[in-house]
Structure formats: C-alpha cells, structure tokens
Amino acid sequence: MKMLTSVTLSALLVFAAAPVFAEKPDFSKTNAAKASYDFSQNKPATGNQLQRASSQHDFSKTLAATSQYDFSKNQPAIHSEPQPSTQHDFSKTAAF
C-alpha cells in the first residue's frame, strides 16, 4: 500500500510540475515581430472576435424611458455634506 501511494504521489508531482517547466513561446521570432511586417495586410476580425461596442446598460428600455413615467413622484435625494478630499497632492512629491 505504501508503494502504491508513493508511486501515485510521484506521478502526480511529475504531471503537476510539467506545465511549470514547459517552454514559453518566443514571439520575437514571428513574422509580425519583423520591422518589415505590413499590418494593413491582416484580415479583418469576424464573428466572435469582434469586441462589443459597450457592455453598459441600455437605459432606453427602462420604465423611466417611457413617456408615461412621472418623475415628480420620485423620492428626493438625501442632502449630504461633501467629504474632504483624500487625494494625493502631487505638487509636494519629489520626482526621482
């Protein structure tokens, strides 16, 4: 039983450590790393590769966006005093 446990732990260690020692790709050897590479010749992105223009909420679909919404029924905002700034004063910082 000890032998089986020892072999299992050894195998687990070898397989777990393998990605750590894997060779990392050297992108400096690719065609795009050359100064003569023309990026304008690349194909445009299509399908799922396109990034969404925005992930922000579309407020045009909210209840308040309808013409029947009565803003006068909203609760008034609670007035609070402004807090002093905790931002760093960079005019008193010495440059290195």
Side-chain angles (χ1 to χ4, degrees):
M1 187 66 180
K2 288 183 180 180
M3 180 70 162
L4 179 62
T5 304
S6 177
V7 169
T8 304
L9 288 175
S10 296
L12 183 63
L13 180 65
V14 168
F15 289 118
V20 174
F21 297 110
E23 183 178 340
K24 294 180 181 168
D26 184 6
F27 292 106
S28 66
K29 297 176 183 172
T30 62
N31 285 336
K34 296 177 183 174
S36 61
Y37 187 79
D38 185 7
F39 285 94
S40 66
Q41 300 297 321
N42 290 352
K43 293 180 183 178
T46 58
N48 289 338
Q49 297 172 346
L50 291 175
Q51 193 173 21
R52 288 183 172 191
S54 174
S55 61
Q56 294 180 355
H57 183 72
D58 184 3
F59 288 100
S60 67
K61 296 183 174 87
T62 62
L63 180 64
T66 63
S67 59
Q68 295 87 15
Y69 189 80
D70 187 5
F71 284 94
S72 65
K73 293 182 180 177
N74 288 353
Q75 295 291 326
I78 300 170
H79 180 70
S80 62
E81 295 296 321
Q83 299 294 323
S85 176
T86 59
Q87 293 181 346
H88 183 72
D89 184 2
F90 288 100
S91 66
K92 297 176 183 170
T93 303
F96 288 98

